[in-house]
């Protein structure tokens, strides 16, 4: 028994020597700062508030886990979250505050595309890497990074390729859907998604028609007029991009207008988001959408079927009593990617951190993320599927998953321009 | 007392701060980059911009008695105009002057229509025009970039062809530029309101009939006040794009029109310096409260309610009254 | 043709929410002479309260609406009794500013109390489904909203024209001092009218609970539309507010269908033109 204990003791000593001791003592921070500071922001008010909350939850959990395991190169990590209010001016002000006043070493988050496009050009002045985790405009990476060379921009979440191109690749194989109509978000995200969808689908299906489009700005309360305007064109299917609470409201209003009796399919691009799934749960249980609702997200908690993802979802549920939304996963992974890059660079210098990303392939809950050097986009795969109930979960999930290879549905450099107008 | 109250006899007395206080303040502003970091400079620029915005607004409101709820429209014309010019030719002076003049022109055109009314109808009319400009910013995508606004606006160098070209890349340089422009603009406003023109504005505010009786064309003077307010709003807006590199539609929204209203109210409409002090307080209240809580609106709201209920003179009058009470020997009037 | 007609009916249901909020705004202006900037926030408060009772607690739909009206009326009463009452003598700019302060307070208050929750509760069973209107499915719930708006209009009209209370209020509106002289308790009339206005706003908010998501900031969004309507109809003119609501509601429905780019600017253009050409409103006697 005693011997057994001493064997264990020696083993522990070896482990200690092998893994811990080679670095200087755990308590000492090797980066020469009291703490490593991570600044985060997202929409924390209004109908889109759950995204900011999820960004905060994801980032907080990542920071807690990092600190529990000794921090980044022995440095404790600290997080500060701010509300971007979906206003570019606020997002820029927050960014400036976080970097120049609070002292953030790297930043994560931002929900609105407009905010991301406003923050991007300020970053060279602030000299801090920004890991974007939700803003979806392709221009952030294709234009600001690949074309204009703003190196501080990195994106961890999949952009509008997911909303437009992926949808087209799936629905091209449904020959009886010929007439598409659009209820779009009345800003660039909505325009680009719809344009990419049309462009891609047209390539495979010259017989398809795009019969109507109605555009709803942020903070639309009543979609009745948008719904009836596009339904007048008798579409087979609806392509829809309003998100968050607005998606929930749109689907309810479409449902009571009897839309699901008249169409064959409804694509709610970001309908796989946890807040939307929670919001429409009663309708899905009551089969109000008649199985016609399809969606994707920038990560879905029931895919991939890996041990890492399952463990992440479990930890997240335990910590927050919610399922992780995509903005939680992308932000969690962004904080982890920042950690990996700093550890590789052994420095907090922005340029060195960004350099360390080159060639990075990192395992995250959403699966393997591969850094694309040309536009600083992390490439990974997210499937789309039909919105269904699954006895394993309290809320609807995406079922009948369609997994498309990233080489097909991501855009690849050199980038050709996309029409970003209606 | 040299700096005593002017326009005595009017219902609201215009109070001016002492010279030494102004000198000290300007010195502090000039030295700010030496002590404050980048963020302090950024905040100071924002405060100066809001000061100009509110100062112009108060010429219309405090001095002429017209409450505009559409000043953001002119602020936005200045911002978008300057941004467009900067994207066209990278010359800061060209952009700022151009943006300001565009806003002035817009104020002239819309002013002719707006000054046909006073009181609530004037407020509603300015609100309508302001929101029309907002709608344009949002929907005229080819020109304004729509919801995403104009991005990638350069902080162009300060160039006077054949004379100088100063890079504005660092925040400190741009801060000094904004400070210089603001001081000049504030000085001009000060001279203006203490000129016969300013006194006429106040006369119209206090007794429209009496002024008309003395042969003053009330409408013309209202229009002049409206254009001045528009120019100041435009100048404030024109200083924005080079700072933020972006201009987006919210700058034109009516909630932005509320900013100078609140700042002026906070500082006090009776004092020349009211809007400037108010701008500082308004910005700092928000900036400090948001660090501790996301609920900053409720605090601002409570402050507004308290001011309206109990201290309609604003902070500056309050402070001046205190000052006078402490030093009764220097009582002016 | 049927498409146009149907879009008009859709606009009609949108107009009724606008009618309920601008009716209250108009009555308050007509009698108290106050532009209540926070009126949209009372609409929002009504929506949140109804959402709480009906959506979160699962109480009876009608009971939830009644409680929401009562709750909002209390808040409205407090606003008038403890704040506005002291400002009747001063520049109306301060009334605007005070009520603007209330917008800020209420926006954050609902955020503190309710957070960002948005779950849309189910539509009450008896209002589910859709009818065929011009050959297209039209939700029963939206028809219910139209009916509710019309009923409120009739009740208000009868109340003001045919009852003793209505006559008192109209007398107070046209001459405060005279009303006071003949024994009308003017402060009480003001309180009552403000509460009535608040309840109308709350009703508009509450009726939207099963089809709309409420969020902080809703008040600021709604109030501007209500301003447009009351200006088009003539400040203080109830009939004008009704027609103004129909114009704005139906126009924005057609705007979405026919000319989406101009939809937004158009209503402000109409507002400005009315103010310039007919500041007393399109429907002034």
């Amino acid at each position: 028994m005693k011997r057994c204990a001493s064997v264990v003791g020696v083993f522990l000593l070896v482990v200690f020597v092998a893994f811990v001791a080679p670095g200087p003592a755990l308590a000492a921070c090797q980066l020469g700062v009291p703490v490593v500071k991570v600044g985060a922001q997202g929409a924390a008010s209004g109908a889109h508030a759950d995204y900011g909350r999820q960004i905060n939850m994801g980032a907080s959990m990542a920071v807690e886990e990092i600190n529990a395991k000794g921090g980044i190169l022995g440095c404790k990590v600290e997080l500060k979250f701010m509300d971007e209010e979906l206003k570019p001016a606020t997002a820029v002000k927050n960014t400036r505050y976080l970097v120049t006043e609070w002292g953030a070493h790297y930043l994560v988050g931002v929900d609105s595309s407009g905010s991301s496009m406003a923050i991007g050009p300020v970053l060279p002045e602030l000299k801090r890497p920004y890991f974007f985790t939700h803003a979806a405009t392709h221009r952030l990476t294709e234009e600001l990074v690949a074309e204009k060379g703003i190196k501080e921009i990195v994106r961890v979440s999949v952009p509008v390729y997911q909303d437009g191109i992926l949808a087209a690749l799936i629905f091209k194989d449904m020959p009886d859907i010929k007439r598409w109509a659009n209820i779009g978000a009345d800003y660039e995200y909505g325009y680009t998604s719809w344009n990419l969808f049309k462009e891609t689908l047209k390539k495979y299906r010259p017989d398809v028609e795009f019969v109507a489009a109605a555009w709803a700005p942020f903070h639309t309360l009543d979609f009745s007029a948008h719904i009836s305007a596009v339904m007048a064109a008798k579409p087979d299917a609806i392509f829809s991009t309003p998100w968050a609470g607005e998606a929930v409201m749109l689907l309810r209003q479409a449902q009571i207008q009897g839309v699901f009796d008249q169409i064959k399919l409804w694509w709610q691009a970001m309908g796989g988001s946890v807040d939307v799934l929670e919001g429409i749960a009663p309708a899905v249980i009551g089969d109000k959408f008649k199985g016609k609702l399809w969606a994707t997200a920038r990560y879905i908690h029931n895919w991939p079927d890996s041990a890492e993802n399952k463990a992440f979802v479990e930890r997240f549920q335990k910590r927050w009593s919610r399922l992780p939304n995509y903005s939680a996963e992308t932000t969690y992974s962004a904080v982890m990617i920042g950690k990996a890059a700093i550890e590789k660079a052994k420095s907090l210098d922005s340029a060195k951190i960004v350099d360390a990303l080159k060639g990075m392939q990192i395992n995250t809950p959403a699966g393997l993320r591969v850094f694309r050097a040309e536009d600083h986009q992390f490439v990974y795969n997210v499937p789309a599927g039909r919105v269904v109930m699954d006895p394993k979960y309290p809320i609807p999930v995406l079922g009948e998953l369609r997994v498309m290879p990233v080489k097909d549905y991501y855009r690849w450099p050199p980038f050709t321009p996309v029409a970003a107008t209606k | 007392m040299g700096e005593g109250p002017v326009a005595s006899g009017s219902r609201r007395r215009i109070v001016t701060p002492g010279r030494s206080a102004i000198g000290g303040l300007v010195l502090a502003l000039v030295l700010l980059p030496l002590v404050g970091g980048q963020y302090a400079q950024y905040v100071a620029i924002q405060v100066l911009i809001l000061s100009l915005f509110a100062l112009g607004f108060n010429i219309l409101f405090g001095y002429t008695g017209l409450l505009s709820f559409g000043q953001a429209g002119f602020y936005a014309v200045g911002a978008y105009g300057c941004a467009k010019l900067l994207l066209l030719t990278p010359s800061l002076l060209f952009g700022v002057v151009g943006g300001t003049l565009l806003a002035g022109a817009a104020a002239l055109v819309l002013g002719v229509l707006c000054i046909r009314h006073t009181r609530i109808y004037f407020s509603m009319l300015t609100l309508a025009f302001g929101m029309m400009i907002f709608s344009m910013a949002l929907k005229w995508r080819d020109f304004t970039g729509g919801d995403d606004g104009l991005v990638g606006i350069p902080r162009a160098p300060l160039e006077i062809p054949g004379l100088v070209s100063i890079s504005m890349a660092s925040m400190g340089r741009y801060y000094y530029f904004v400070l210089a422009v603001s001081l000049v603009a504030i000085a001009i406003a000060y001279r203006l309101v203490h000129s016969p023109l300013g006194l006429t504005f106040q006369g119209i505010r206090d007794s429209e009939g009496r002024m008309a009786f003395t042969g003053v064309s009330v409408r013309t003077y209202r229009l002049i006040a409206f254009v001045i307010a528009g120019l100041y709003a435009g100048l404030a807006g024109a200083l924005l794009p080079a700072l933020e590199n972006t201009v987006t539609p919210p700058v034109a929204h009516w909630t932005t029109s509320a900013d100078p209203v609140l700042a002026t109210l906070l500082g006090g409409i009776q004092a020349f310096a009211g809007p400037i002090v108010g701008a500082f307080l308004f910005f700092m209240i928000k900036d400090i409260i948001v660090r501790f809580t996301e609920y900053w609106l409720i605090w601002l709201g409570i402050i507004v309610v308290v001011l309206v209920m109990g201290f309609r003179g604003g902070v500056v009058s309050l402070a001046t009254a205190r000052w006078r009470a402490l030093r009764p020997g220097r009582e002016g009037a | 043709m049927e498409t146009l007609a149907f879009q008009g009916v859709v606009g009609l249901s949108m107009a009724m929410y606008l009618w309920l909020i601008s009716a209250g705004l108009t009555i308050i202006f007509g009698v108290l002479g106050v532009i209540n900037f926070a009126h949209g926030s009372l609409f929002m408060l009504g929506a949140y309260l109804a959402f709480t009772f009906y959506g979160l607690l699962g109480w009876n739909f009608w009971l939830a609406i009644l409680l929401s009206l009562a709750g909002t009326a209390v808040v409205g009463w407090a606003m008038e009794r403890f704040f506005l009452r002291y400002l009747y003598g001063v520049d109306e700019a301060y009334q605007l500013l005070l009520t603007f302060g209330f917008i800020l307070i209420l926006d954050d208050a609902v955020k503190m109390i309710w957070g960002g929750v948005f779950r849309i509760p189910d539509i009450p069973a008896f209002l589910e489904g859709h009818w065929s209107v011009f050959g297209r499915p039209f939700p029963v719930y939206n028809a219910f909203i139209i009916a509710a708006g019309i009923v409120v209009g009739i009740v208000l009209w009868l109340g003001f024209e045919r009852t003793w209370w209505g006559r008192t209020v109209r007398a107070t509106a046209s001459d405060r001092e005279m009303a006071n002289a003949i024994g009308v308790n003017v402060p009480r009339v003001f309180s009552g009218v403000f509460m009535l206005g608040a309840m109308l706003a709350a009703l508009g908010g509450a009726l939207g609970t099963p089809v709309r998501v409420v969020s902080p900031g809703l008040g600021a969004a709604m109030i501007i539309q209500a301003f447009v309507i009351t200006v088009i109809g003539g400040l203080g003119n109830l009939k004008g507010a009704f027609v103004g609501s129909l114009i704005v509601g139906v126009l924005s429905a057609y705007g979405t269908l026919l000319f989406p780019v101009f939809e937004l600017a158009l209503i402000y253009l109409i507002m400005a033109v009315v103010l310039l050409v007919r500041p007393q409103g399109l429907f002034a006697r």
Side-chain angles (χ1 to χ4, degrees):
Chain A
M1 202 60 206
K2 234 178 192 171
R3 180 181 254 169
C4 188
S6 61
V7 168
V8 170
V10 169
F11 176 71
L12 283 179
L13 191 72
V14 170
V15 168
F16 182 77
V17 169
F19 292 97
V20 185
L26 201 67
C29 171
Q30 299 170 42
L31 292 161
V33 290
V35 281
V36 172
K37 293 187 170 181
V38 182
Q41 53 177 331
S45 45
H48 305 79
D50 202 48
Y51 290 75
R53 226 172 290 142
Q54 290 268 1
I55 282 179
N56 198 0
M57 289 193 270
S60 302
M61 195 168 103
V63 167
E64 286 162 13
E65 288 179 8
I66 291 171
N67 283 335
K69 287 183 187 156
I72 300 178
L73 295 176
C75 313
K76 200 175 156 294
V77 182
E78 208 175 293
L79 175 78
K80 186 170 184 69
F81 174 85
M82 296 181 91
D83 182 5
E84 61 138 316
E85 300 168 18
L86 295 177
K87 287 183 193 150
T90 307
V92 169
K93 183 173 175 291
N94 287 347
T95 310
R96 287 188 181 277
Y97 170 76
L98 286 170
V99 173
T100 59
E101 185 72 11
W102 184 67
H105 296 103
Y106 66 99
L107 301 123
V108 296
V110 167
D111 285 304
S112 135
S113 285
S115 294
S116 74
M117 290 300 286
I119 291 170
V122 179
L123 293 174
E125 184 188 327
L126 298 176
K127 298 193 183 63
R128 290 292 184 281
Y130 202 123
F131 298 86
F132 290 90
T133 59
H134 183 191
T137 173
H138 65 293
R139 289 170 63 203
L140 178 67
T141 38
E142 292 187 9
E143 221 170 81
L144 294 186
V145 183
E147 196 186 315
K148 298 210 168 120
I150 302 178
K151 292 196 165 53
E152 289 80 3
I153 297 171
V154 180
R155 175 155 46 200
V156 178
S157 53
V158 52
V160 283
Y161 313 152
Q162 190 77 29
D163 312 71
I165 304 176
L166 178 73
L169 293 181
I170 293 171
F171 300 130
K172 72 176 168 42
D173 298 329
M174 300 189 177
D176 56 331
I177 296 182
K178 295 198 174 81
R179 297 168 66 81
W180 280 89
N182 171 40
I183 297 177
D186 196 3
Y187 34 93
E188 194 191 294
Y189 158 65
Y191 312 145
T192 315
S193 302
W194 176 234
N195 288 338
L196 286 174
F197 176 74
K198 285 196 290 188
E199 195 180 276
T200 315
L201 191 57
K202 209 71 195 161
K203 254 188 255 166
Y204 296 94
R205 290 280 302 277
D207 63 318
V208 159
E209 279 180 273
F210 304 101
V211 292
W215 302 97
F218 264 133
H219 312 305
T220 296
L221 264 187
D222 208 318
F223 293 90
S224 309
H226 301 85
I227 296 163
S228 58
V230 301
M231 289 309 290
K234 299 197 168 49
D236 294 331
I238 305 271
F239 181 96
S240 160
T241 41
W243 47 286
E246 287 175 6
V248 178
M249 192 162 28
L250 169 59
L251 287 167
R252 162 62 56 87
Q253 290 168 5
Q255 172 218 318
I256 67 169
Q257 279 203 25
V259 169
F260 291 92
D261 297 329
Q262 297 169 292
I263 57 164
K264 299 186 173 111
L265 187 139
W266 180 299
W267 169 252
Q268 188 66 42
M270 283 298 119
S273 169
V274 165
D275 64 321
V276 177
L277 294 173
E278 285 171 346
I280 61 175
V284 178
I285 292 167
D287 199 26
K288 297 277 165 61
F289 304 127
K290 307 198 158 62
K292 292 170 178 173
L293 183 60
W294 283 69
T296 185
R298 303 189 199 287
Y299 155 80
I300 50 175
H301 59 83
N302 57 329
W303 198 89
D305 194 16
S306 66
E308 175 154 11
N309 186 37
K310 279 185 189 145
F312 168 75
V313 174
E314 218 164 85
R315 291 200 306 276
F316 194 92
Q317 278 184 298
K318 210 170 141 197
R319 178 70 180 80
W320 306 108
S321 313
R322 292 269 308 268
L323 281 163
N325 194 3
Y326 60 81
S327 59
E329 191 278 340
T330 53
T331 311
Y332 173 89
S333 296
V335 174
M336 291 302 186
I337 287 169
K339 170 180 184 278
I342 291 172
E343 282 171 348
K344 195 170 153 204
K346 295 196 174 53
S347 163
L348 288 170
D349 180 77
S350 176
K352 286 184 186 153
I353 294 175
V354 174
D355 266 347
L357 293 170
K358 290 214 178 89
M360 186 182 277
Q361 304 203 355
I362 186 165
N363 272 311
T364 58
L368 188 71
R369 277 184 162 91
V370 179
F371 183 73
R372 189 160 74 181
E374 292 92 336
D375 66 341
H376 292 191
Q377 171 70 48
F378 271 93
V379 176
Y380 65 107
N381 205 326
V382 188
R386 197 192 292 276
V387 176
V388 293
M389 285 309 294
D390 181 326
K392 275 189 289 183
Y393 297 100
I395 60 169
V397 293
L398 301 186
E400 297 175 40
L401 293 176
R402 307 289 166 94
V403 188
M404 296 282 158
V406 287
K407 72 169 179 25
D408 291 343
Y409 85 85
Y410 274 58
R411 276 160 56 82
W412 294 88
F415 298 110
T416 48
V418 184
T421 48
K422 288 184 207 178
Chain B
M1 194 184 144
E3 294 290 327
V6 289
S8 54
S10 74
R11 192 149 47 91
R12 297 168 192 157
R13 294 200 319 188
I14 307 298
V15 181
T16 59
R19 272 198 187 127
S20 53
I22 295 174
L25 193 66
V26 171
L27 189 69
L29 282 170
V30 170
L31 295 179
L32 179 92
L34 302 179
V35 279
Q38 230 198 73
Y39 186 71
Q41 294 164 29
Y42 173 76
V43 167
I45 293 173
Q46 292 275 15
V47 169
L48 287 170
I49 288 175
L50 183 57
S51 298
L52 296 178
F53 193 10
L55 203 59
F57 164 79
N58 198 38
I59 288 179
L60 198 54
F61 179 53
Y63 286 87
T64 319
L66 294 169
L67 173 60
S68 165
F69 258 107
Q71 288 308 97
F74 306 116
Y75 185 65
V77 171
Y80 274 95
C82 173
K84 273 289 181 191
L85 292 174
L86 286 181
L87 288 168
L88 215 66
T89 32
S91 162
L92 189 61
L93 212 54
F94 184 54
V96 170
V97 172
T100 310
L101 291 179
L102 276 173
L108 182 65
V109 172
L110 296 180
V112 171
L113 300 171
C114 288
I115 50 103
R116 293 171 59 163
H117 288 304
T118 54
R119 296 158 63 98
I120 193 72
Y121 289 97
F122 173 83
S123 301
M124 287 292 136
L125 202 49
T126 48
L127 179 73
F129 283 124
M131 287 305 283
M132 268 161 74
I133 293 173
F134 171 73
S135 315
M136 268 172 62
L138 199 63
K139 296 283 184 172
W140 190 11
R141 226 183 134 72
D142 296 334
F143 189 76
T144 63
D147 209 271
D148 307 296
L150 296 172
V151 294
I153 303 155
R155 193 179 295 159
L158 177 63
E159 229 174 19
I160 300 169
L163 268 175
V164 282
S165 175
I166 309 166
S167 161
M168 284 286 145
S170 83
M171 183 67 80
R173 292 263 182 88
Y174 192 64
Y175 169 72
Y176 280 121
F177 173 75
V178 174
L179 181 62
V181 170
S182 304
L183 289 177
V184 170
I186 291 170
I188 293 174
Y190 184 81
R191 290 302 295 265
L192 217 68
V193 302
H194 292 93
S195 70
L197 184 68
L199 295 177
T200 312
F201 289 160
Q202 292 165 45
I204 292 173
R205 177 199 65 201
D206 293 334
S207 175
E208 186 183 334
R210 202 194 305 162
M211 290 311 279
F213 191 68
T214 58
V216 170
S217 165
V218 172
R219 278 199 179 180
T220 308
Y221 280 93
R222 282 208 177 109
L223 182 60
I224 293 171
F226 195 88
V227 172
I228 293 172
L231 282 169
Y232 273 82
L235 175 62
L239 292 172
L240 211 57
L243 176 68
E244 306 278 25
N245 310 105
T246 316
V247 181
T248 51
V251 298
H253 197 253
W254 73 268
T255 44
T256 306
S257 294
D259 288 354
V261 182
L262 292 177
T264 305
L265 180 77
L266 217 54
I269 64 168
Q270 282 114 320
F272 175 79
I276 302 170
V277 174
F280 174 75
L281 291 176
F282 177 77
F283 206 89
M284 293 320 286
I285 287 170
K286 174 171 180 183
D287 197 69
I288 290 168
I289 295 177
V290 288
R291 294 183 199 184
F292 300 105
T293 162
E294 58 177 301
Y295 303 112
W296 67 278
L297 281 177
I298 199 164
W299 291 108
L300 192 64
I302 289 170
I303 290 170
V304 168
V305 169
V306 168
L307 282 171
V308 170
M309 296 307 294
F311 309 97
R312 282 190 282 280
V315 173
V316 172
S317 317
L318 216 63
T320 322
R322 253 291 159 72
W323 181 249
R324 295 255 156 81
L326 287 175
R327 301 175 65 177
R330 290 194 60 188
E331 182 60 58
Chain C
M1 196 57 225
E2 276 169 4
T3 300
L4 285 181
F6 185 76
Q7 196 74 2
V9 179
V10 170
L12 209 58
S13 69
M14 290 161 68
M16 288 306 155
Y17 294 101
L18 299 174
W19 152 239
L20 290 173
I21 184 172
S22 40
L25 190 68
T26 296
I27 292 172
I28 291 174
F29 182 81
V31 180
L32 281 71
V34 169
I35 288 274
N36 180 19
F37 232 129
H39 206 68
S41 303
L42 295 173
F43 177 93
M44 171 183 75
L45 189 64
Y48 268 106
L49 288 174
F51 167 76
T52 308
F53 299 125
Y54 177 65
L56 293 180
L57 301 175
W59 294 357
N60 178 284
F61 181 64
W62 303 109
L63 178 68
I65 289 181
L66 275 180
L67 287 174
S68 143
L69 296 196
T72 313
V74 170
V75 173
W77 173 79
M79 274 163 71
E80 198 278 336
R81 176 67 189 77
F82 298 114
F83 298 96
L84 268 175
R85 183 165 292 185
Y86 301 98
L87 293 180
Y88 292 135
V90 303
D91 196 331
E92 59 207 356
Y94 288 106
Q95 297 162 359
L96 278 177
L97 290 169
L98 176 81
T99 50
F100 183 77
F102 286 134
I103 294 187
L104 304 178
I105 293 173
L106 285 172
D107 265 3
D108 254 10
V110 298
K111 200 162 131 191
M112 278 178 180
I113 299 169
W114 284 279
V117 271
F118 60 89
R119 232 25 83 72
I120 305 186
D122 282 337
I123 289 177
F126 61 98
L127 293 171
E128 256 191 307
H130 43 78
W131 292 331
S132 178
V133 174
F134 298 113
R136 305 260 305 270
F138 186 73
V140 174
Y141 194 82
N142 292 20
F144 161 71
I145 295 292
I146 296 176
I150 292 172
V151 167
V152 167
I154 293 172
V155 168
L156 284 178
W157 181 75
L158 286 177
F160 276 110
E161 299 292 326
R162 296 289 155 87
T163 66
W164 176 84
W165 185 83
R167 277 194 296 275
T168 313
V169 171
R170 279 188 294 140
T172 316
S174 57
D175 192 332
R176 236 172 256 199
E177 264 137 49
M178 187 62 88
N180 195 31
I182 58 167
V184 175
N185 185 341
V186 173
R188 191 186 287 170
V189 170
F190 278 16
S191 281
V193 167
F194 202 91
M195 283 167 76
L196 173 68
M199 284 196 285
L200 287 169
L203 183 62
L207 287 177
T209 322
V211 285
R212 292 171 161 202
V213 165
V214 277
S215 61
L218 179 61
M222 292 304 297
I223 191 63
I224 294 301
Q225 283 188 318
F227 275 176
V228 174
I229 289 161
T230 44
V231 164
I232 292 176
L235 285 167
N237 182 337
L238 202 54
K239 260 182 252 164
F242 187 77
V243 184
S245 307
L246 294 185
I247 291 178
V248 171
V250 172
L251 206 66
S252 57
Y254 282 128
T256 308
L257 181 70
L258 303 173
F259 36 87
V261 178
F262 304 110
E263 178 205 330
L264 194 62
L266 196 66
I267 59 168
Y268 296 112
L269 186 66
I270 293 175
M271 176 178 176
V273 168
V274 168
L275 275 169
L276 289 170
V277 180
R278 240 183 112 76
Q280 69 275 37
L282 289 182
F283 309 98
R285 266 159 279 185

